[in-house]
Amino acid sequence: MKIKLEFFGPVRDRIGDYPATLTLDACPQTLDALVATLAGQLENGGVLLDPHLRIAINDQLVTRQQTLTLGEGAHIAVLSPFSGG
Amino acid sequence: MMEQADILLSSAPLDPATLNKRLSAGTSTGAVATFTGLVRGKGALTALELQHHPVMTLTALNTIGAAAMARFDLTALLIAHRFGRMKIGEPIVHIATAAPHRRAALDAVSYTIDVLKTQAPFWKREWYGDTSRWIEPTAEDHGKAAQWLGAMT
């Protein structure tokens, strides 16, 4: 399954170069499984194991309790802790 | 009928005086309160950059605005937030509330800025010439939001 990938905030610098589109090796159904899959497939993927990061799928934040339904072309955003205002 | 919050997300400089005129307060308004967050000069800081998410940031500001309107007895609420690169002294965020009584106007301003800091997708980076440093939210930021939201976020 192909997904689109984007990083925001400090994690964008920490991850370094990354592919805008990624073919996932698995079809994760939980947030933890998704993070583990991404961490395993990206060169600096270990930075994704930071528990303070948030993940959005198609512009919606997802929680650990949710069952994920990733569709082809899903847009996954990895968000650093927010620091506005 | 309760008015919706007025939300502005802008790459252009914010002018608090102009923004206050957008506050659609009616004749039942007895109090107006405002908060403006500015880029604070310190050391060799040359600029502050605010990054945002192209969709989720505006959605979050609308959600926070709607929550404040529902929680407090307001006649109007304005949230204006800047993104992009800012100079020292420029406004980052401006919040204005109008209410029949002062307590609601003041509390709604505090609620909005405290919640916004940890719930709206913005990322702040300080620039010192050609080098930069990301600003992470502090435990105090999370604690202030949690006071309003009832749990650590």
Side-chain angles (χ1 to χ4, degrees):
Chain A
M1 177 197 306
K2 278 190 181 171
I3 54 115
K4 293 175 189 164
L5 197 53
E6 204 166 6
F7 294 83
F8 291 87
V11 71
R12 185 173 178 174
D13 288 351
R14 289 175 192 144
I15 199 77
D17 291 333
Y18 64 91
T21 303
L22 187 68
T23 301
L24 293 183
D25 295 337
C27 187
Q29 294 191 321
T30 66
L31 181 57
D32 287 340
L34 172 61
V35 169
T37 300
L38 292 173
Q41 288 191 233
L42 295 171
E43 192 172 339
N44 296 321
V47 303
L48 299 184
L49 302 178
D50 178 350
H52 298 105
L53 298 176
R54 292 192 239 192
I55 306 285
I57 298 175
N58 297 330
D59 302 328
Q60 299 284 328
L61 285 173
V62 292
T63 65
R64 288 205 146 68
Q65 292 75 34
Q66 257 177 273
T67 300
L68 306 186
T69 49
L70 279 176
E72 186 72 18
H75 192 161
I76 295 178
V78 180
L79 311 171
S80 303
F82 305 158
S83 60
Chain B
M1 190 180 121
M2 188 188 292
E3 295 286 331
Q4 285 190 329
D6 184 7
I7 308 295
L8 176 69
L9 182 61
S10 171
S11 61
L14 303 177
D15 177 26
T18 303
L19 289 168
N20 287 341
K21 290 178 186 166
R22 284 172 60 137
L23 201 64
S24 55
T27 54
S28 60
T29 294
V32 170
T34 68
F35 168 81
T36 307
L38 308 175
V39 180
R40 184 176 62 247
K42 58 174 184 177
L45 182 77
T46 52
L48 186 74
E49 179 188 356
L50 257 291
Q51 294 185 357
H52 74 300
H53 186 281
V55 175
M56 295 176 67
T57 303
L58 191 57
T59 302
L61 292 179
N62 276 304
T63 300
I64 293 165
M69 292 294 287
R71 182 170 183 144
F72 302 97
D73 180 19
L74 300 178
T75 52
L77 167 63
L78 177 141
I79 306 172
H81 207 296
R82 179 90 183 271
F83 64 89
R85 198 179 269 231
M86 285 156 263
K87 298 173 192 162
I88 292 166
E90 288 189 341
I92 306 166
V93 59
H94 182 73
I95 296 163
T97 62
H101 303 287
R102 72 181 185 282
R103 181 48 53 198
L106 291 166
D107 285 352
V109 167
S110 292
Y111 169 92
T112 303
I113 188 61
D114 287 347
V115 173
L116 184 154
K117 272 189 167 284
T118 59
Q119 301 299 307
F122 287 102
W123 299 278
K124 197 179 280 173
R125 176 150 64 170
E126 293 176 339
W127 282 93
Y128 300 86
D130 293 335
T131 61
S132 67
R133 185 175 78 93
W134 289 101
I135 302 299
E136 309 273 2
T138 64
E140 186 185 8
D141 291 336
H142 285 291
K144 284 179 179 169
Q147 283 175 10
W148 294 108
L149 300 175
M152 288 302 287
T153 53

